[in-house]
Amino acid sequence: QVLEDFKADAAAQAQVRARDAALRAWFAAQCAKAADGERGKKSRSLLPMDNFLKELDRLKVLRDADISPTPAVSGTVLPSVHTNLSFLDAKGAFACCQGVGGDGDIADDLTMSYDEFVACLALCGHIKYEEVEEMSLLQRVEAAFANFLQEKDEHAVITECLFPPIERFDAA
C-alpha cells in the first residue's frame, strides 16, 4: 500500500524529480563498481543488494535511535522520538520493491533497477520514520532522501517536520 501511495502522490514524485540527478549519479556509480568487480557478469544498470545494504550502513541510514527534537520555543521539554531502520528492514524493502520499475533490464533476485531503487528508498523512509505519527508519507520520503544523500540527519529531519520555524510578527 505504501508503494502504491508513493507512486500516486504527485508531491512525492516531485521530490524524486528534485533529487533525480544526485540519486542517478550515485546509482550509476554503484552499478558500474559492481559490474567492474564482476567483470561484465552484471549489467551496468542494475544495483546488487549487497552494494545497496553496505552503502546504507556506510551512510549511517541503518540506525536505531531515540531522537530529542529541538523545539521552536526554547525552554520547552519534549519527549524523544524513536526511529529505526534495521538491516533486515532494508533487505525486506529491497525484496518488496523488485518489479516496480520499468527500466527495461531484467533483474535477478539480487539486483534492482533505478526505479526500484528510488521506490526502495521511499519505503525505507516510511519504515524508518513509521513511529513518528505526525510525519506524512511525503515527509518520510523527503527524510529518507535527505538521510541517504547526507543532506540532513535524523535530528534535523524530525525537528523540521514536528516543529517548523515560527514566523515572527511583523508590526508593519
Side-chain angles (χ1 to χ4, degrees):
Q1 181 63 43
V2 172
L3 288 176
E4 289 175 16
D5 291 346
F6 166 70
K7 290 189 319 189
D9 190 330
Q13 294 306 311
Q15 202 47 239
V16 171
R17 286 188 298 280
R19 290 189 164 93
D20 189 61
L23 291 172
R24 278 193 191 277
W26 181 91
F27 184 83
Q30 288 299 314
C31 291
K33 188 164 86 173
D36 290 344
E38 293 291 321
R39 296 287 174 219
K41 290 181 186 174
K42 299 277 184 191
S43 169
R44 286 187 164 271
S45 62
L46 294 175
L47 177 66
M49 180 173 56
D50 289 345
N51 291 44
F52 176 68
L53 295 173
K54 284 177 188 173
E55 283 297 300
L56 285 181
D57 188 40
R58 183 185 71 78
L59 296 169
K60 299 189 181 350
V61 175
L62 298 179
R63 205 175 139 189
D64 183 0
D66 287 319
I67 307 295
S68 296
T70 304
V73 178
S74 62
T76 306
V77 179
L78 303 169
S80 63
V81 179
H82 185 254
T83 65
N84 180 33
L85 182 66
S86 70
F87 183 83
L88 190 58
D89 291 333
K91 202 171 183 177
F94 188 98
C96 273
C97 291
Q98 289 180 309
V100 287
D103 288 354
D105 269 333
I106 307 275
D108 63 19
D109 59 349
L110 298 176
T111 60
M112 68 172 33
S113 68
Y114 176 74
D115 291 336
E116 294 166 339
F117 159 71
V118 169
C120 185
L121 272 183
L123 185 55
C124 284
H126 173 73
I127 294 167
K128 184 171 187 171
Y129 294 101
E130 186 173 30
E131 293 183 45
V132 186
E133 295 172 4
E134 297 88 348
M135 289 179 78
S136 67
L137 176 62
L138 174 61
Q139 289 173 320
R140 291 174 184 171
V141 169
E142 288 174 346
F145 292 155
N147 290 164
F148 185 79
L149 295 172
Q150 303 292 284
E151 297 169 350
K152 297 177 189 169
D153 64 0
E154 292 87 351
H155 181 268
V157 165
I158 290 174
T159 297
E160 188 177 285
C161 289
L162 299 183
F163 306 102
I166 296 173
E167 292 187 35
R168 301 283 180 186
F169 178 73
D170 184 9

